[in-house]
Every structure is written in structure tokens, then in C-alpha cells.
């Protein structure tokens, strides 16, 4: 703090007067710890007449509740407390920044220790270094046009909000805690971005925390939900090596989530529920994705040990030319099908499993050209009724296993050389069927109830087929020990040649 001038006094004329003057000077503070802005003389920060206790220095507290103090180049104080007015400064270096109103209009601000924000307006570049922490317990703090808030310490939003005025950026390299407000981020104008390179963490509360209001969230580090739900209803970008973790639910409910590499999911539940998941060619999710509703575009890989859970009655669509590569498990639990919009592909890779865990229809289509190709295991594991494979084209190179109930093929169903049909359930053919090469059957029952069977030479079925209705084209080989059972009063025909 700058020293105030001590008013001059008449020279004492006696020893008693000298002692009294000395006592008065000692009682007059030359250094004030806290000084409040009055602005009585001007807008100059450096004019001691504008302060209640002189110009605050590096070890002092400055309080501004009104006015427009201008610090020109820089200021350095222990604590800057703003409740109103506007502070103009080039560089602010403070230990503590508490703001409940007013504006800090600084080109750069560094908060070295701590702060409490419940209101006000921040401009320029605000830096929270490693070891520092800011609390936002209530109210709404505005990041003004093009402001950048860079956090390497800890920010805790326990009930307050941040408003992005226009094209603001938050760069989180430390820990950002969400614990309280249902909607922690709002905006006045668009272009606001949250870049997470550290830890974005929802710590408490069973109610959902909604990240929306047109902010864009670039999730490059760890996003952890430890309680309740963390919901994204805005644009999200998930980059390679991003981690989604915690014991709560992370739910994508609207807008588009862009997936551009391999990410890891270890949360209790990652749910696609209304949003569009847009994937690049290298996109993959290690863990489990629950697909409750929404859209998938591009190419998504579910690697070995990972699961795509397809369930609930929400509308689900694979957009034009979308590709799902299943090296782990695709588990359909019904009741709603996945709609192929146009020329979509589902590839069950060697070692992968397509699990039909319910009765009903797992696929529908808006336009044609949709194909499921099985090089692994297509299995019906649950449901005592019938699961219908319809509308799509189904290429089978691997194993088709029906453990319970029945699978009825009502569409273009192609059995290729080396494929096999097995299990204690029943497979019914009631569409367009073709066989290429040698196919092995060991089902409880394999029935042809109305389809057209085209046999592409050489064509051989090892096992048993009950021919109840339909036509056979080409040459079908029934080797020793195998059976073609011709029965029922259904119409049957061997076509020309």
C-alpha cells in the first residue's frame, strides 16, 4: 500500500506536547490492509484520494462496489473483491478474486489462490493455476465476449451458473466439479465452448445435471459421473483416448455427439437417448453403450469385450450408409427395431455375437439396401416366441444358434459355405433363401414353410430340413446321414432344371 501523507501539525513547544504528538503519529496507520474504492477525485486507481485507506498494494485487499477505477497497466493485490462498478486493467495478479456483481475488464487475470464467484462479468483471459481453486456456489457469472477461462486448479460449481455471452471458451486442464445446479451453463449468444483436457466431474445429487444451451463440449480428458445423471443435450466431440467413467449415468439426449477415435467407457451406464452419434471411420467404444433411442451415422466399431445394448421402445435409426462392426456383442432386447434408412451395414466379425434376447422384429427399413453379414455368432438367447428377421438381406458365414423359441427368416436369407445352424430351438424359412456350398444343421427343428430355396451348385445340406411348403431351385445335395423330410399339405414345387 502506498503511504498516505500525515497532516502537518504545529511544532510542540513543551516536552508534554512532544510526547502527545509522538503518540498521535504512532496511532495513525501508515499501512491499511483493506481499502474501499470511493472514486471521489477521479477514475485513477493509483490516486490515494479515491480510496478509503490509500491505494491497495500487493499485500492488501481492494473492495470495489461502484464506479470505474482504471488501473492502466497492471495491479497486484492480495484480494480483489468486486460487488459493483467496472475495474479496467491490463493485467490483474491477485491471490483472491471474489466477485458478486460489477465487471472485471482485464486483458489478463491470474488468480493464484482462491475465489468465490456469485455474479458479475469477467472479460479477457482468466487463469486459475495449479493449486488454486474457485467456488461458484450460487448466482450467475458472465463470461463476456471472447473471454477465455483457463483452469489448471479446481473449479467447483455447487449451485451457481456460468453464462457465455458470446464466443467464450473454458479450457479445463485441472478438475471441474458439477455439484448442485441442474443447468450449470447458459448462454446469451452462441459460439461458447468447453474444452475438457482434465477431469469434468459430477459429484453429487440424484437429479440430472444438464449440459445444454448450445455450448459445445469437447471431451478429450475424463468425464466422470459419480451420482445421478450427466445429460448432454448439445454438440459433443469425443476424441481418441477420451474416458467416460463413474457410477452414474452419462446420457446423450439431443443434438450430435461426434466420435472421432477410440474412447473408453467405464461408467455405470452410457446411454444414447435421442441424440445422433456421428462416427468417423476409426470410431470405437470400449465398454458398453446403451442405445435407447436416436441415430447412428458413419462407422462405429464395438470391439471384443464391449457391448452395444439395443433396448427400450424408443425410435432408433442407422442413417444412410451407416456401418456397425461388432467384434464384441450386439444385444437386442426389443421391443423396437433398429431402422435402416438406406444402404446400412451390420457386420458381425469373427468372434463377435449378435444376440437376439427377445421376441419380435430387430430390424426395419425406410429404404432398401440394408445388409447384416454374420462371420461370428447370430444367436437367439431369450424369448419363447418368434423373432422375425425381415426386410434386410442376411448373409450367414458363421454360426446361427437358436437356443429358445423360434427365428423366422422372412427376407433375403443367404447361407454361405461353412455356415452352420444349431441350438435347441427352431429356425423357419419363409422368404427368399439361398445356399452356397456346404451348410451344416443341428437344430431341434429346421423348417421350410413357404420360402423359395435357391441352391447354387455345389450346394449341400448336412442335417435335416422339413419341407412343408415352397419351391426349390437348382441342385440340393442331401449327403448320407442327412434328411429332407417332405410333409404337410402345403404346396411344394421343384422348379425347372
Amino acid at each position: 500500500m502506498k503511504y498516505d501523507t500525515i497532516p502537518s501539525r504545529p511544532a510542540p513547544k513543551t516536552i508534554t506536547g512532544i510526547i502527545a504528538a509522538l503518540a498521535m503519529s504512532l496511532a495513525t496507520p501508515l499501512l491499511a490492509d483493506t481499502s474501499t474504492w470511493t472514486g471521489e477525485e477521479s477514475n485513477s486507481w493509483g490516486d490515494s484520494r479515491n480510496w478509503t485507506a490509500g491505494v491497495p498494494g500487493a499485500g492488501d485487499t481492494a473492495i470495489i462496489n461502484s464506479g470505474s477505477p482504471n488501473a492502466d497497466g497492471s495491479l497486484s493485490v492480495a484480494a480483489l473483491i468486486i460487488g459493483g462498478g467496472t475495474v479496467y486493467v491490463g493485467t490483474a495478479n491477485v491471490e483472491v478474486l471474489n466477485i458478486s456483481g460489477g465487471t472485471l475488464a482485464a486483458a489478463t487475470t491470474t488468480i493464484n489462490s482462491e475465489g468465490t464467484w456469485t455474479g458479475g462479468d469477467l472479460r479477457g483471459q482468466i487463469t486459475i493455476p495449479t493449486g488454486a481453486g474457485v467456488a461458484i456456489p450460487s448466482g450467475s457469472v458472465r463470461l463476456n465476449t471472447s473471454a477465455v477461462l483457463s483452469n489448471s486448479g479446481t473449479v467447483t460449481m455447487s449451485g451457481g451458473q456460468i453464462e457465455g455471452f458470446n464466443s467464450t471458451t473454458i479450457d479445463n486442464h485441472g478438475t471441474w466439479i458439477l455439484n448442485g445446479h441442474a443447468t450449470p451453463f447458459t448462454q446469451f449468444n452462441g459460439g461458447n465452448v468447453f474444452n475438457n483436457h482434465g477431469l469434468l466431474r459430477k459429484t453429487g445429487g440424484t437429479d440430472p445435471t444438464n449440459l445444454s444451451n448450445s455450448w459445445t463440449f469437447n471431451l478429450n480428458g475424463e468425464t466422470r459421473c459419480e451420482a445421478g445423471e450427466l445429460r448432454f443435450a448439445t454438440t459433443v466431440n469425443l476424441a481418441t483416448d477420451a474416458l467416460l467413467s463413474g457410477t452414474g449415468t452419462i446420457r446423450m439426449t439431443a443434438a450430435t455427439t461426434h466420435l472421432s477415435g477410440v474412447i473408453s467407457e467405464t461408467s455405470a451406464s452410457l446411454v444414447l437417448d435421442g441424440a445422433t452419434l456421428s462416427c468417423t471411420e476409426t470410431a470405437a467404444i470400449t465398454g458398453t453403450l446403451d442405445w435407447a433411442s436416436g441415430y447412428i451415422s458413419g462407422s462405429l466399431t464395438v470391439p471384443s469385450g464391449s457391448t452395444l445394448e439395443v433396448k427400450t421402445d424408443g425410435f432408433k435409426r442407422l442413417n444412410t450408409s451407416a456401418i456397425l462392426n461388432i467384434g464384441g456383442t450386439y444385444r437386442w432386447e426389443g421391443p423396437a427395431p433398429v431402422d435402416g434408412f438406406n444402404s446400412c451395414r451390420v457386420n458381425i466379425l469373427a468372434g463377435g455375437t449378435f444376440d437376439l434376447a427377445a421376441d419380435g422384429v430387430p430390424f426395419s427399413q425406410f429404404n432398401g439396401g440394408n445388409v447384416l453379414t454374420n462371420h461370428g455368432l447370430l444367436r437367439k438367447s431369450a424369448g419363447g416366441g418368434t423373432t422375425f428377421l425381415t426386410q434386410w438381406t442376411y448373409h450367414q458365414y458363421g454360426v446361427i444358434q437358436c437356443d429358445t423359441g423360434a427365428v423366422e427368416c422372412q427376407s433375403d436369407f443367404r447361407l454361405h459355405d461353412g455356415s452352420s445352424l444349431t441350438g435347441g430351438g427352431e429356425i423357419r424359412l419363409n422368404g427368399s433363401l439361398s445356399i452356397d456350398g456346404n451348410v451344416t444343421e443341428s437344430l431341434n427343428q429346421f423348417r421350410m414353410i413357404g420360402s423359395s430355396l435357391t441352391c447354387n451348385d455345389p450346394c449341400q445340406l448336412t442335417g435335416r430340413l422339413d419341407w412343408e411348403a415352397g419351391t426349390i431351385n437348382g441342385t440340393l445335395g442331401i449327403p448320407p446321414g442327412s434328411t429332407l423330410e417332405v410333409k404337410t399339405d402345403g404346396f411344394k414345387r421343384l422348379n425347372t432344371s
Side-chain angles (χ1 to χ4, degrees):
M1 171 172 290
K2 294 186 178 179
Y3 290 89
D4 292 328
T5 302
I6 302 174
S8 61
R9 299 179 176 85
K13 295 182 179 180
T14 63
I15 294 298
T16 303
I18 292 173
I19 294 173
L22 179 61
M24 182 179 292
S25 67
L26 293 175
T28 302
L30 299 181
L31 184 66
D33 293 329
T34 300
S35 191
T36 301
W37 174 265
T38 64
E40 291 181 355
E41 295 297 328
S42 67
N43 289 330
S44 174
W45 179 282
D47 189 338
S48 64
R49 297 173 299 172
N50 292 319
W51 297 91
T52 58
V55 179
D60 305 316
T61 296
I63 300 176
I64 296 93
N65 291 315
S66 62
S68 303
N70 190 334
D72 294 325
S74 64
L75 66 85
S76 179
V77 293
L80 180 59
I81 301 174
I82 304 174
T86 300
V87 178
Y88 295 96
V89 62
T91 301
N93 191 348
V94 301
E95 293 300 311
V96 177
L97 174 62
N98 294 344
I99 183 167
S100 59
T103 300
L104 176 56
T108 61
T109 301
T110 301
I111 305 161
N112 294 303
S113 182
E114 62 185 78
T116 300
W117 302 352
T118 57
D121 186 312
L122 297 173
R123 303 180 185 181
Q125 170 80 44
I126 305 101
T127 300
I128 304 169
T130 301
V134 166
I136 308 176
S138 61
S140 180
V141 182
R142 170 177 284 180
L143 293 179
N144 217 310
T145 301
S146 301
V148 177
L149 172 55
S150 179
N151 173 53
S152 295
T154 301
V155 174
T156 303
M157 301 182 73
S158 56
Q161 292 179 305
I162 288 180
E163 179 192 58
F165 187 77
N166 181 40
S167 300
T168 62
T169 301
I170 295 175
D171 288 323
N172 180 48
H173 296 271
T175 299
W176 196 286
I177 298 173
L178 304 173
N179 181 21
H181 204 289
T183 309
F185 296 96
T186 63
Q187 71 166 15
F188 186 84
N189 288 311
N192 303 292
V193 178
F194 188 107
N195 298 315
N196 180 40
H197 300 279
L199 172 61
L200 175 61
R201 179 184 175 202
K202 181 182 187 302
T203 59
T206 57
D207 292 336
T209 295
N210 300 288
L211 301 181
S212 56
N213 290 300
S214 299
W215 280 68
T216 295
F217 287 84
N218 298 319
L219 305 181
N220 303 306
E222 180 179 356
T223 302
R224 183 192 305 166
C225 181
E226 297 176 1
E229 288 195 2
L230 185 57
R231 294 181 179 177
F232 291 89
T234 188
T235 300
V236 175
N237 293 303
L238 288 165
T240 298
D241 295 331
L243 173 61
L244 306 176
S245 67
T247 55
T249 297
I250 298 174
R251 189 181 299 268
M252 309 301 184
T253 63
T256 300
T257 296
H258 299 273
L259 179 57
S260 60
V262 180
I263 69 164
S264 298
E265 180 280 327
T266 60
S267 64
S269 186
L270 171 63
V271 185
L272 178 62
D273 193 5
T276 295
L277 181 61
S278 180
C279 306
T280 65
E281 187 176 350
T282 60
I285 297 177
T286 300
T288 298
L289 171 64
D290 291 345
W291 189 5
S293 67
Y295 304 80
I296 294 179
S297 299
S299 178
L300 174 64
T301 296
V302 179
S304 177
S306 300
T307 302
L308 177 61
E309 292 270 3
V310 184
K311 54 188 178 181
T312 80
D313 59 358
F315 180 78
K316 310 167 190 71
R317 170 170 282 170
L318 291 171
N319 282 335
T320 299
S321 301
I323 299 173
L324 293 179
N325 294 312
I326 309 300
T329 300
Y330 179 120
R331 180 177 172 85
W332 179 76
E333 298 183 12
V338 171
D339 184 69
F341 188 77
N342 183 41
S343 300
C344 301
R345 300 286 186 270
V346 175
N347 300 316
I348 312 302
L349 308 178
T353 299
F354 188 100
D355 187 8
L356 302 170
D359 299 328
V361 180
F363 289 107
S364 63
Q365 69 177 10
F366 185 86
N367 288 310
N370 303 293
V371 179
L372 182 146
T373 302
N374 174 34
H375 288 276
L377 172 63
L378 191 157
R379 176 183 66 197
K380 182 175 183 190
S381 62
T386 302
T387 301
F388 298 91
L389 298 180
T390 183
Q391 300 187 38
W392 288 41
T393 295
Y394 299 85
H395 287 278
Q396 304 302 321
Y397 295 89
V399 177
I400 308 168
Q401 180 176 318
C402 183
D403 295 331
T404 180
V407 174
E408 183 167 319
C409 307
Q410 295 183 338
S411 187
D412 186 357
F413 197 81
R414 305 179 187 183
L415 294 168
H416 296 277
D417 185 49
S419 61
S420 63
L421 302 94
T422 186
E426 173 187 329
I427 292 180
R428 298 194 293 262
L429 306 176
N430 193 20
S432 175
L433 171 69
S434 67
I435 297 179
D436 303 315
N438 185 34
V439 174
T440 302
E441 181 276 334
S442 58
L443 288 157
N444 180 52
Q445 198 168 21
F446 184 34
R447 300 169 58 198
M448 182 173 166
I449 64 173
S451 63
S452 172
L453 172 58
T454 299
C455 303
N456 299 309
D457 190 42
C459 173
Q460 180 170 281
L461 176 65
T462 300
R464 171 175 171 152
L465 172 63
D466 292 344
W467 186 12
E468 300 177 16
T471 61
I472 295 179
N473 306 283
T475 302
L476 174 62
I478 305 295
S482 300
T483 302
L484 177 64
E485 187 82 25
V486 184
K487 58 184 181 180
T488 79
D489 58 359
F491 179 78
K492 310 168 188 71
R493 171 176 284 169
L494 289 173
N495 273 340
T496 302
S497 301

